[in-house]
Amino acid sequence: MSDVIGTKVAIPGASGAGIIRYVGQIQGKIGTFAGVELLGTLATTRGKNSGSVDGIQYFQVEIPKSGLFLPYERLKSVNPGLANVNPSSKTPLTPVNNRTYQNVRNSMINENFANPDLTLKYESEIAELQRALREKEKRIEELENENKAQQEKLDNANASLTAANSKIKELEQSIDNLLSEKVNDVQIDDSRKEIEQLKRELESRPRLEDLEELQNSLDELESIYQQQLNEKDAIITKLQVERDHLSHELYSTPVVHQSTADDSPQELPIYKAAQPTDPSQGKNDWCGLCERDGHSSINCPYENDIF
């Protein structure tokens, strides 16, 4: 029945497959059982053991807890191509206990030295177990190499990450320095603008020489204005004297009264001058309020003196 070992079979009641690693009896159990190493997702969802029952190792598995024991006939019901097994056989085809393969071989040779056929049978099974052991050791070595390669990649990744973090810190420091320099540049530009503005304001202000010249001009204008004002006052005084003289002549002229034939009283006649006179005649400005020339009634300086 060693030809069924390593056969890939379907698992009853599950959508998956496994590989037959053992066919034979189980200590303390009745009947013939098949030890199957489950594959794929079944290894983690349907696995029951690692190929051992009650401390006896019947087969090895690559993934812990990916082994399963089930009656051989039940396994054969979904895999009709499997060979028949003699149910009366008491010797498992490929049992493996927890001792080393060399100890198993020596024990079997010592116990069955008198039976050459049985010795050859065990020798064949031991050779198969040794081959399986070499495959496992090779697989372990491959996994160790893969683990070592992954560890090297992890170390390289950590080194790259450390270098990247250091570079990021350098860039952040550079950015902070640039921002600080930019702030200083902005402050310098603001100070320069303020200085330029102060210079323009200073240039727009008059100089001391200009102020002195302006003051002299103002003094000269004030002197001219005062002179013109005095001349106007003299003219006003002269005109007032002339007005008073004319008024005196006007009111000192006698009024002629003529009586009517019936000598009845009549109203006094209105005096009419021989020639009409205009007090503003010959004058540039004439004020009707104070009856003076030299200004108009709108700008009369004697307005407050008239009641």
Side-chain angles (χ1 to χ4, degrees), residues 92-221:
L93 295 179
T94 56
V96 182
N97 57 21
N98 54 0
R99 293 175 293 175
T100 63
Y101 294 120
Q102 188 63 35
N103 291 336
V104 172
R105 180 176 181 275
N106 294 335
S107 176
M108 289 180 176
I109 291 174
N110 293 331
E111 293 175 359
N112 302 285
F113 184 75
N115 191 343
D117 295 335
L118 187 60
T119 301
L120 292 175
K121 179 180 178 181
Y122 284 136
E123 285 284 351
S124 176
E125 293 180 357
I126 290 173
E128 183 178 354
L129 290 175
Q130 288 177 342
R131 179 186 60 79
L133 178 61
R134 287 193 296 270
E135 291 179 356
K136 297 297 182 182
E137 290 176 349
K138 183 179 180 181
R139 180 58 180 165
I140 291 173
E141 184 178 359
E142 291 176 355
L143 291 175
E144 288 178 350
N145 293 332
E146 291 179 1
N147 185 34
K148 184 177 180 181
Q150 293 294 333
Q151 186 64 38
E152 290 179 356
K153 291 181 179 180
L154 181 61
D155 294 339
N156 294 333
N158 289 332
S160 300
L161 181 61
T162 302
N165 289 332
S166 177
K167 187 64 176 179
I168 290 173
K169 290 182 179 179
E170 292 178 0
L171 291 175
E172 290 177 349
Q173 184 64 34
S174 300
I175 291 173
D176 293 338
N177 294 335
L178 290 175
L179 291 176
S180 178
E181 292 177 359
K182 185 175 181 180
V183 170
N184 293 333
D185 292 340
V186 171
Q187 292 177 352
I188 292 173
D189 292 340
D190 293 340
S191 299
R192 288 177 178 174
K193 291 179 181 179
E194 186 175 357
I195 291 173
E196 293 296 332
Q197 183 177 359
L198 292 175
K199 285 183 178 180
R200 288 193 296 269
E201 291 180 358
L202 184 60
E203 291 175 356
S204 62
R205 292 181 180 180
R207 297 175 299 173
L208 181 60
E209 294 81 359
D210 297 335
L211 291 176
E212 291 178 353
E213 184 178 356
L214 181 61
Q215 184 64 40
N216 294 332
S217 299
L218 290 175
D219 293 341
E220 184 177 355
L221 289 174

Side-chain angles (χ1 to χ4, degrees), residues 218-247:
L218 290 175
D219 293 341
E220 184 177 355
L221 289 174
E222 185 177 1
S223 176
I224 295 172
Y225 173 76
Q226 188 65 37
Q227 183 179 357
Q228 292 179 353
L229 185 61
N230 293 335
E231 291 177 356
K232 286 185 177 182
D233 289 340
I235 294 172
I236 290 172
T237 302
K238 182 180 179 181
L239 291 175
Q240 287 178 349
V241 171
E242 185 178 354
R243 185 200 63 181
D244 293 340
H245 178 69
L246 292 174
S247 297

